Amino acid sequence: MNANGWQIFVEVPGKAPIELETGEAVIGRSRACAVQIAETTVSRQHAVFVVELGSVRLRDLGSSNGTYVNGKRVDGSQALSDGDRVVVGEAELIVRILAPLGPAEPTQRLVIPPLAAPATPAAFAAEAKPAEPAPSFRRTPAPVEAPPPSPAPMAPLATLPPMLPMPPLSPVIPLASFGGPPPLPAERSPAPALGAGANPEKVAEPARKCELLPSIQEIELAPMPPPLARRAPAASATTPAGFWIRVAASLLDMIPLLLLALVGLALAFFVSPQWALLLTVLEVGYVVYLAVVMPALKGTTPGKKFLKLAIVSEATGPGQGLGWSTALLRLVGHLVCSLTFSLGYLLVAFTEQKQGLHDLIAKTRVVRRR
């Protein structure tokens, strides 16, 4: 859940829904992506979700197979809605955007009926007094045998000691004593009906209603607990390298070549032109090593490695070699840029992924590691 209460998920086939935090979440085949899809038709960094305040936008990262939303190809950046279907390669994702929940329903009150009034000694005596037998007009024959001795007469109920009065019911303990909100004033219930022999003075006090659950007003007035600290969204591991940092990396790569040229020029004037020719062969070998061997095996150059830059393609990531075919195609792109008086390199400053003409030809990018 975002800080503003929105919940944004992405349903990936074969996996549990992935929640998107505020920021950028990259889709791709690489393990460093927030939404990883193990499909050969998906690029290592295919597209990216940009999550903002209650909205999501999708941007394609120059993938080879493209990114589609509801059957339409994404060109640049596109806003998404709840239930949109995003197709990357052969995988189909479903975006779910859930709005914040509304206010809760009010809590019902549970009212307990009042207890009956306690019985008094006079009422108890009245109920225990036996009824007098009805007069009989029939003659009773005299018994032949002597009657059994009659039991001792019981003392009348009036002479019994008075019963102790029942202790009053303990009052309901308010919720405020336990740290909760104070209870609302209870409504007065009507007095119960008087029984036979009940004392009206003790029954006159009405019983109060009891509440087992607090109402919605008490819940809203209660202090809210402090919010839990949320973890910051994970940032992308790489970003496209800008124009000036790539210029700085190229100048660092040219330092050994410049030193070889100066040494060859000194040998040509002061020692022998043959030594200068040998250094020329070394310069050509260094250029081939710089433009083909290092990108094919390591995916970088000495200058780019010093500035934490890497050359990646659709099938490789930072620290991996491009392969000989991609490296040779990138060398052809350098030759094309040289034929255009180096104007092809200026595309780095104007394209979205910071790609020059040689990068567009070889389908590569130069990224900067964080």
Side-chain angles (χ1 to χ4, degrees):
M1 181 182 293
N2 296 326
N4 53 6
W6 289 82
Q7 291 182 332
I8 301 174
F9 297 90
V10 175
E11 297 181 0
V12 183
K15 294 184 179 181
I18 301 174
E19 184 176 2
L20 302 180
E21 301 289 346
T22 304
E24 295 185 356
V26 181
I27 313 170
R29 197 173 68 252
S30 176
R31 294 183 179 179
C33 297
V35 183
Q36 182 186 7
I37 302 175
E39 294 286 346
T40 56
T41 56
V42 180
S43 302
R44 293 185 64 86
Q45 292 184 347
H46 200 102
V48 60
F49 288 114
V50 181
V51 182
E52 297 176 351
L53 185 63
S55 64
V56 186
R57 302 189 67 85
L58 180 65
R59 186 175 71 247
D60 187 77
L61 297 180
S63 59
S64 57
N65 295 328
T67 305
Y68 298 84
V69 175
N70 298 330
K72 296 182 180 180
R73 184 161 185 166
V74 177
D75 187 9
S77 179
Q78 180 175 343
L80 301 179
S81 302
D82 183 30
D84 285 349
R85 299 182 178 271
V86 179
V87 178
V88 289
E90 295 182 357
E92 184 180 28
L93 313 178
I94 300 178
V95 179
R96 300 306 310 271
I97 304 175
L98 305 181
L101 299 177
E105 295 277 341
T107 318
Q108 296 184 356
R109 295 183 178 180
L110 179 61
V111 181
I112 299 178
L115 298 176
T120 59
F124 184 80
E127 293 180 1
K129 185 177 181 180
E132 296 181 357
S136 176
F137 298 96
R138 297 182 61 183
R139 281 189 170 186
T140 306
V144 179
E145 298 180 357
S150 60
M154 296 180 61
L157 295 178
T159 62
L160 293 177
M163 297 179 61
L164 297 177
M166 295 179 62
L169 297 176
S170 60
V172 179
I173 302 176
L175 295 178
S177 60
F178 298 100
L184 295 178
E187 300 178 0
R188 301 184 64 88
S189 60
L194 297 178
N199 190 354
E201 296 180 356
K202 296 185 178 180
V203 184
E205 182 181 1
R208 292 184 294 179
K209 296 182 180 180
C210 303
E211 294 185 5
L212 298 183
L213 297 178
S215 63
I216 188 61
Q217 297 179 355
E218 299 171 4
I219 297 177
E220 292 179 353
L221 295 177
M224 296 295 294
L228 298 177
R230 300 183 62 85
R231 185 178 60 183
S236 179
T238 59
T239 55
F243 176 78
W244 292 111
I245 193 171
R246 293 182 62 174
V247 171
S250 300
L251 293 178
L252 291 176
D253 292 332
M254 291 296 108
I255 289 177
L257 188 63
L258 180 61
L259 293 177
L260 289 176
L262 293 177
V263 172
L265 186 61
L267 292 177
F269 276 98
F270 301 101
V271 181
S272 173
Q274 295 179 356
W275 289 97
L277 182 61
L278 179 61
L279 287 179
T280 303
V281 175
L282 292 177
E283 292 175 5
V284 174
Y286 176 76
V287 171
V288 174
Y289 174 79
L290 192 68
V292 179
V293 178
M294 285 288 291
L297 299 180
K298 301 294 183 179
T300 186
T301 61
K304 291 181 175 61
K305 187 175 182 180
F306 180 79
L307 296 178
K308 297 182 180 181
L309 304 182
I311 307 172
V312 298
S313 64
E314 294 180 355
T316 61
Q320 301 177 358
L322 300 177
W324 295 105
S325 58
T326 305
L328 291 175
L329 192 61
R330 186 178 173 85
L331 178 61
V332 173
H334 282 292
L335 296 177
V336 174
C337 290
S338 301
L339 295 178
T340 59
F341 303 97
S342 301
L343 295 178
Y345 296 112
L346 296 179
L347 292 177
V348 177
F350 301 100
T351 56
E352 183 179 0
Q353 296 298 322
K354 308 300 181 182
Q355 292 176 298
L357 182 58
H358 57 296
D359 292 323
L360 296 175
I361 293 175
K363 295 183 179 180
T364 58
R365 295 183 298 112
V366 178
V367 296
R368 184 176 183 179
R369 299 180 182 179
R370 290 186 180 274

